[in-house]
């Protein structure tokens, strides 16, 4: 783009943002006060060339903000991302792709059996329909002619015996009928009144079969219901039916129990008490339907014959608040041959679905979210005191939502704001920029429309110029926020103030002029600023200025001395006037226990002529002449060396094993011989076999390990060369020999890598008296180990013999 076209585009941008004079616009663009992105310039160029004829009315641009900056990026695929708690679009896309395997929906209702078993039936009052069984206790209360209470049990023939009454058969009758029969018979006696109750109930045996966790025969309390029995057997398997539980009595179907009445409505009306011989059978569920998406209880549900899509949604608790009642999809496997998709719309007020159909086994009902944008609201995002959603009213403007400067946070960028707006008919987004400052200063308000999103920025987000930098001898060097009319003293205070060794006679301020092309150094006197804040040296600062505070050591050498060796804190220390060696040792924490206390060395560097240095070593014997030794005066750059005691803290441990009088671990003195250690252990026992003595040394073991590694490395190189060579023209016999050689070398290499040397040293002791002081009687080292076994007086014959044996030596 040539210069003329660029300036024309810039002017057009500025005209779109807010009306100003040509001179004002050019001035603010050149100074960076009005930021203009490359995308904005490109789009305006297209507008000027007529390449964008189908765009809305002039004054609307696509992207005036640099989208490469993460902090400034505005997502164009979501209207209110900043104010939304859920990404409904992502959930919508995920639900489209999901199937029953991916969703892993939970089977509804089965977790109830994982809870504690309900209260025992024996503690509950039997119902009127309870069937009397053999062994049940019947309690009779009488008053009037005869007052009393009797407890009687139904006999094995099923009769109730209460003299003087004739036996009454009650087994098989309901408690209501049995009670009425007994009460009627008793009250036929003149002047006698009675009340009948049930006491302890008998036990009955029932069968629980089908897809239950633990099928079999169960002995339960008389009065146990079907639901109680299902808890007793551990519940129903995940393939079993919760809605078609069959109760067979007397070998015939008696009742079908649907647990959904209990699980969904809390009603146990179709539950029934069991009698002896009852069979409870749980078949495999015929229809399982998944309900997923935006319902209150997504899960796998069992459907009965005639259940429709609306029924399954009711089982799932109905639609959630975010659900789209007009977007319900059923994915179905048709006759195990193909998959079909059915679309439905629900009347959210009545819960009815037009053209509702019955569900089939394997159906997946998906309820999608409502992701339509809010049509009666606007959203305010960014650097304001009260961001969020606002109700749209006719004539709504920015000033009616944000009435004054107090509606914004400090450091708001009033020169620029942007509104993201939806345009019909294709509902595409465009960005409309404007000036916030013009609204409050010039009364040029900005009208809002439904679905607008207003973005307000802070000055820090759109400019990187609001700071100055303080370097050098301050407590918190770095960049600090720039405040208008900030001076040198203000910047230093914001940086934590300067340190004690600051050079007060001069500090420097580096200012950039002409957009940073030219730098200017200004020198100020900090001492004058401390004395008088209004001094001319306390100059005002500009954006991007650098304030440099120096240390006095930048202009003079700091005298120091160094101490090495056996002190607790060796290092370099500042040299004070009159400091002695003793003073330096005290500052270094004092001597350690390993200090060699005969003398101290000081290395002093002396300057000869202009550039020649000479080192002089001073050895101080402070034990003999203490007033000269530790009181020796130090000079700049002296180095003090505190030596350590030779081999301080090192110990020698030798291990004696086997046929010694007192075997064990012994501490040895430096230079002590093997014979001395053996004498300390009481010498050898009478049965010790001295020719078989084993002596191992740690240092020898380490050397053997190192040599073994070198041999293994050489062998590995040879093996690699052998593997890379091609056997060209070799016979089959040569190839077989080559393969055998490679295998042998690989085995040898593996053994060498895994083997651990013993570190054994040959030690010959024929005569104990002659051994002491001989060339074999060497000095011991730390980690040495000597092992002596007993004399077995046998000779072993091994190897290529028919019968390896050990024979007595003579």
């Amino acid at each position: 783009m040539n210069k003329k076209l660029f300036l024309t585009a810039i002017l057009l941008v500025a005209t779109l943002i807010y009306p100003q004079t040509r001179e004002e616009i050019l001035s603010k663009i050149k100074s960076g006060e009005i930021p203009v992105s490359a995308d904005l310039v490109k789009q305006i160029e297209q507008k000027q060339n007529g390449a964008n004829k189908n765009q809305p009315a002039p004054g609307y641009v696509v992207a005036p903000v640099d989208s490469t900056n993460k902090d400034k990026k505005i997502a164009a695929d979501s209207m209110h991302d900043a104010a939304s708690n859920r990404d409904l679009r992502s959930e919508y896309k995920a639900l489209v792709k999901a199937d029953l395997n991916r969703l892993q929906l939970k089977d509804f209702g089965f977790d109830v059996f994982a809870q504690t078993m309900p209260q025992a039936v024996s503690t509950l009052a039997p119902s009127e329909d309870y069937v009397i069984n053999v062994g049940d206790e019947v309690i009779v209360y009488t008053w009037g002619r005869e007052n009393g209470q009797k407890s009687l049990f139904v006999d094995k023939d099923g009769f109730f015996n209460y003299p003087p009454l004739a036996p009454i058969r009650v087994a098989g009758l309901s408690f209501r009928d049995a009670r009425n029969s007994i009460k009627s018979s008793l009250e036929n006696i003149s002047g006698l009144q009675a009340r009948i109750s049930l006491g302890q109930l008998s036990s009955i045996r029932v069968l629980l079969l089908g897809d239950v966790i633990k099928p079999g025969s169960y002995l339960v309390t008389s009065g146990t219901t079907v639901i109680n029995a299902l808890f007793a057997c551990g519940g129903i398997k995940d393939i079993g039916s919760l809605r078609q539980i069959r109760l067979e009595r007397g070998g015939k179907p008696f009742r079908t129990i649907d647990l959904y009445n209990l699980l969904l409505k809390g009603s146990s009306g179709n539950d029934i008490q069991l009698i002896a011989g009852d069979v409870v059978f749980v078949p495999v569920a015929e229809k399982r339907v998944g309900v997923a998406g935006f319902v209150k209880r997504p899960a796998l549900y069992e459907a009965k014959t005639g259940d429709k899509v609306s029924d399954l949604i009711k089982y799932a608790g109905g639609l959630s608040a975010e659900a789209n009642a007009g977007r319900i999809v059923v994915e179905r496997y048709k006759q195990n041959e193909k998959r079909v998709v059915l679309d439905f719309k629900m009347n959210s007020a009545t819960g009815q679905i037009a053209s509702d159909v019955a569900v089939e086994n394997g159906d997946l009902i998906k309820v999608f979210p409502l992701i339509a944008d809010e049509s009666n609201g606007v959203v305010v995002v960014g650097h304001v005191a009260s961001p969020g959603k606002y109700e749209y009213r006719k004539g709504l403007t920015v000033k009616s939502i944000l009435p004054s400067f107090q509606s914004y946070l400090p450091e708001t960028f009033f020169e620029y704001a942007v509104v993201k707006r939806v345009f019909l008919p294709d509902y595409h987004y465009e960005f409309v920029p404007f000036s916030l400052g013009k609204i409050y200063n010039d009364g040029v308000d900005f009208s809002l429309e439904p679905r607008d999103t207003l973005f307000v920025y802070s000055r820090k987000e759109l400019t990187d110029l609001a700071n100055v930098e303080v370097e050098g001898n301050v407590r918190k060097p770095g960049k600090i926020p720039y405040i208008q009319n900030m001076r040198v003293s203000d910047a230093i205070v914001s940086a934590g103030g300067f340190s004690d060794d600051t050079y007060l006679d001069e500090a420097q301020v580096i200012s950039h002029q002409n957009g940073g092309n030219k730098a200017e150094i200004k020198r100020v006197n900090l001492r004058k600023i401390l004395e008088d804040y209004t001094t001319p040296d306390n100059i005002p600062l500009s954006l991007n200025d650098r304030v440099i505070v120096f240390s006095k050591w930048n202009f003079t050498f700091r005298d120091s001395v160094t101490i090495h060796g056996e002190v607790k804190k060796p290092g370099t220390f500042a040299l004070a006037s009159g400091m002695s060696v003793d003073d330096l040792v005290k500052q270094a924490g004092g001597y350690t226990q390993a200090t060699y206390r005969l003398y101290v060395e000081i290395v002093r560097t002396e300057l000869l002529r202009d550039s020649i240095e000479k080192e002089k070593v001073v050895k101080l014997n402070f034990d003999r002449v203490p007033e000269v030794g530790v009181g020796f005066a130090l000079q700049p750059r002296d180095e003090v060396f505190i030596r350590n005691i030779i081999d301080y803290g090192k110990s020698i441990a030798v291990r004696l094993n086997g046929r010694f009088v007192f075997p064990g671990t012994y501490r040895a003195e430096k230079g002590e011989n093997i014979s001395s250690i053996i004498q300390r252990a009481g010498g050898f026992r009478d049965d010790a076999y001295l020719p078989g003595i084993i002596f191992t040394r740690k240092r020898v073991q380490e050397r053997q390990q190192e040599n073994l590694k070198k041999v293994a490395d050489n062998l590995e190189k040879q093996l690699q060369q052998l593997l890379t060579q091609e056997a060209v023209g070799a016979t089959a016999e040569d190839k077989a020999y080559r393969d055998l050689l490679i295998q042998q070398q690989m085995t040898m290499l593996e053994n060498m890598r895994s083997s651990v040397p013993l570190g054994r040293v040959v030690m010959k002791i024929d005569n104990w008296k002659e051994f002491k002081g001989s060339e074999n009687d060497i000095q011991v080292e730390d980690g040495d180990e000597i092992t002596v076994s007993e004399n077995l007086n046998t000779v072993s014959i091994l190897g290529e013999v028919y019968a390896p044996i050990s024979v007595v030596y003579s």
Side-chain angles (χ1 to χ4, degrees), residues 104 187 206 216 335 363 365 412 486 495 520 555 575 618 772:
Q104 296 182 347
E187 291 183 348
V206 295
Q335 299 175 351
D363 280 358
I365 301 174
T412 298
M486 174 181 280
E520 178 185 0
F555 307 95
L575 176 63
V618 180
K772 295 170 58 177

Side-chain angles (χ1 to χ4, degrees), residues 704-720 744-757:
Q704 290 176 347
Q705 183 70 50
E706 184 179 350
N707 293 334
L708 187 62
K709 182 179 181 301
K710 291 180 180 179
V711 174
D713 291 342
N714 292 333
L715 181 59
E716 186 174 9
K717 291 180 181 178
Q718 295 176 7
L719 182 59
Q720 290 176 352
Q744 289 177 346
Q745 289 190 0
M746 291 178 66
T747 304
M748 185 185 302
L749 179 62
E750 183 179 355
N751 293 337
M752 293 177 70
R753 293 291 191 196
S754 60
S755 62
V756 179

Side-chain angles (χ1 to χ4, degrees), residues 611-719:
S611 59
I612 300 177
E613 289 185 345
K614 179 182 178 182
E615 288 188 348
K616 177 183 177 182
V617 179
V618 180
K619 184 178 291 186
L620 303 178
N621 190 330
F622 56 84
D623 279 349
R624 295 182 182 178
V625 191
E627 66 276 4
V628 177
V630 295
F632 184 83
L634 296 173
Q635 295 181 6
R637 301 174 62 194
D638 279 356
E639 293 189 60
V640 180
F641 292 87
I642 309 296
R643 305 300 180 186
N644 65 322
I645 299 173
I646 300 175
D647 294 334
Y648 176 82
K650 293 184 178 180
S651 61
I652 300 175
V654 180
R655 178 72 183 174
L656 302 182
N657 303 316
R659 311 307 292 173
F660 294 94
V661 177
F662 302 107
T665 301
Y666 289 83
R667 286 292 183 97
E669 298 178 358
K670 186 177 181 181
E672 190 171 0
N673 293 342
I674 293 176
S675 60
S676 174
I677 298 296
I678 294 175
Q679 281 182 339
R680 289 166 57 188
F684 298 104
R685 296 188 184 183
D686 295 337
D687 59 350
Y689 184 60
L690 297 183
I693 192 169
I694 299 175
F695 175 42
T696 60
R697 173 159 286 180
K698 186 186 296 185
R699 186 158 53 91
V700 175
Q701 182 187 26
E702 293 172 353
R703 189 181 303 165
Q704 290 176 347
Q705 183 70 50
E706 184 179 350
N707 293 334
L708 187 62
K709 182 179 181 301
K710 291 180 180 179
V711 174
D713 291 342
N714 292 333
L715 181 59
E716 186 174 9
K717 291 180 181 178
Q718 295 176 7
L719 182 59

